[in-house]
Amino acid sequence: LDPLGAAYTDSDTASVDVIAPQIGIDITPDTETVTEHGTAVFTVTVVNNGDATLTGVVVSNSTVAGCAQTIPSLAPGESFSYPCQLADVTVDFPTPVDVAATDPLGGTVTASDTADVNVLVPGISITKTPATQDVAFGGVATFGIEVTNTGETVLIDVTVSDLRTPTCDRVIASMAPGEVASWTCDQT
């Protein structure tokens, strides 16, 4: 109201777009098992699961350099996948990936995921007993052979060969971790 009591009104309209930017990231497989000195292979997928275009999408990874990536932009619902790998793996490790992007209002959206790598170390031991023995001329020497899978992975086609005692030769089709195979053999 003005000083004379007259009322004045005015109106205007404005539209406001409310945005809900979001981003997601996934590194697969979640857990990967490789043998020692093997190659760990991953797939990284980044998805814009919000309703606004995201720009400057940066994926970082501190353990596998090839998993870091820059994506110029992602439209709502759009995803981007790519492979990455690390060769000559010798120890177990986690590989976290983080993603950050900028929404149309200058805000930052982030997400992260982690995959684990388990390294299986193969190992084998063989024992031939006795270390020495006395045998009469023309007699028979008897030996014991014991082969043990001392590693963390199944061994396939384990071949035992003894140039001096070929009767001790064997091929073991498969040995589970911790498995022991033993036999005796004679040499005349």
Side-chain angles (χ1 to χ4, degrees):
L1 294 175
D2 69 14
L4 299 177
Y8 295 93
T9 62
D10 193 8
S11 66
D12 195 1
T13 60
S15 62
V16 176
D17 289 331
V18 177
I19 61 171
Q22 285 185 314
I23 195 162
I25 191 165
D26 189 34
I27 184 167
T28 56
D30 292 331
T31 302
E32 183 170 0
T33 302
V34 298
T35 56
E36 186 178 37
H37 300 289
T39 299
V41 179
F42 307 97
T43 298
V44 177
T45 301
V46 180
V47 62
N48 179 345
N49 46 17
D51 63 0
T53 297
L54 301 173
T55 58
V57 181
V58 177
V59 177
S60 58
N61 179 284
S62 59
T63 55
V64 181
C67 289
Q69 186 80 240
T70 299
I71 306 160
S73 67
L74 284 175
E78 185 179 7
S79 64
F80 181 80
S81 294
Y82 57 95
C84 56
Q85 65 184 26
L86 181 63
D88 197 27
V89 176
T90 59
V91 296
D92 296 350
F93 67 94
T95 183
V97 288
D98 301 298
V99 64
T102 304
D103 69 33
L105 301 177
T108 301
V109 291
T110 61
S112 61
D113 193 23
T114 300
D116 293 308
V117 175
N118 297 318
V119 178
L120 296 180
V121 179
I124 192 167
S125 70
I126 186 167
T127 306
K128 181 178 179 182
T129 56
T132 62
Q133 62 182 296
D134 294 323
V135 177
F137 183 78
V140 175
T142 300
F143 298 98
I145 305 294
E146 183 175 282
V147 178
T148 304
N149 180 346
T150 59
E152 303 171 323
T153 186
V154 173
L155 299 176
I156 307 290
D157 294 330
V158 176
T159 302
V160 176
S161 62
D162 185 332
L163 296 176
R164 293 189 178 176
T165 317
T167 58
C168 294
D169 294 358
R170 295 280 190 284
V171 175
I172 305 165
S174 175
M175 292 186 76
E179 185 175 346
V180 177
S182 59
W183 61 92
T184 60
C185 46
D186 297 327
Q187 178 66 38
T188 54

